[in-house]
Amino acid sequence: MLIFSLLPVSLPAATPLELLAVERADGETVHYRVEIADDAASRRAGLMHRHDLPVGNGMLFDYHEPRPVQMWMKNTHIPLDMLFIDAEGYIVHIVEHTRPLSREIIDSTQPVRAVLEVNAGSSDRHGLRVGDRVCHRIFNNTGRHDAR
């Protein structure tokens, strides 16, 4: 005999997705739908304990001010590419194909404002490189297409 409860079930609040564009050096643009991790708790949780990330989605970690960043893959089941982004929105370092569940430290190599995590292989598949520009409201550069 199955018994169903009519009591409300508490589910975690859905994080709204925001659009983000990466302008490649060749003028092409790649779009992602991203969750924003902009406080200590959301940055600490990141993509941990998830088993999939829809194609074209990602997570943008906003540190508000440039600083050295170290990340790891503890409790993260999804292989990722990590794009480290300076305060102006330029990609300054990329780490591809991170190892799920690893405690190995992944270092920004220099102070960064943000980190974009996307599915492993995405940066290569879309031709993303150091020097490409990430356009999003946190960089105050949406709608601007000036060259570096």
Side-chain angles (χ1 to χ4, degrees):
M1 176 178 190
L2 293 173
I3 299 174
F4 294 93
S5 171
L6 297 177
L7 297 174
V9 175
S10 177
L11 297 173
T15 304
L17 297 176
E18 297 185 16
L19 292 177
L20 173 146
V22 181
E23 296 175 343
R24 296 186 337 203
D26 66 3
E28 295 295 318
T29 302
V30 178
H31 294 90
Y32 290 99
R33 293 172 303 278
V34 296
E35 295 177 54
I36 307 299
D38 61 357
D39 60 32
S42 62
R43 287 190 302 263
R44 190 170 32 257
L47 292 170
M48 289 194 314
H49 306 292
R50 299 189 196 185
H51 293 276
D52 66 340
L53 179 64
V55 172
N57 284 18
M59 181 171 278
L60 182 64
F61 293 76
D62 180 8
Y63 292 93
H64 303 285
E65 296 290 329
R67 67 183 197 190
V69 172
Q70 293 186 324
M71 304 183 86
W72 64 1
M73 295 290 291
K74 180 182 176 187
N75 298 320
T76 305
H77 299 270
I78 308 162
L80 300 169
D81 288 351
M82 294 182 182
L83 291 74
F84 295 86
I85 308 161
D86 72 12
E88 295 177 6
Y90 290 97
I91 298 171
V92 295
H93 182 56
I94 299 174
V95 176
E96 296 179 285
H97 296 278
T98 60
R99 193 165 41 106
L101 307 174
S102 171
R103 291 183 182 208
E104 178 183 343
I105 298 299
I106 301 164
D107 192 85
S108 63
T109 71
Q110 62 186 290
V112 295
R113 161 75 191 259
V115 179
L116 175 61
E117 291 184 343
V118 294
N119 283 306
S122 181
S123 58
D124 188 53
R125 187 170 42 260
H126 294 294
L128 304 181
R129 303 285 179 258
V130 168
D132 290 348
R133 187 171 191 202
V134 177
C135 296
H136 185 267
R137 66 174 171 78
I138 72 166
F139 305 111
N140 294 318
N141 65 3
T142 54
R144 290 190 353 213
H145 300 283
D146 55 344
R148 185 173 214 184

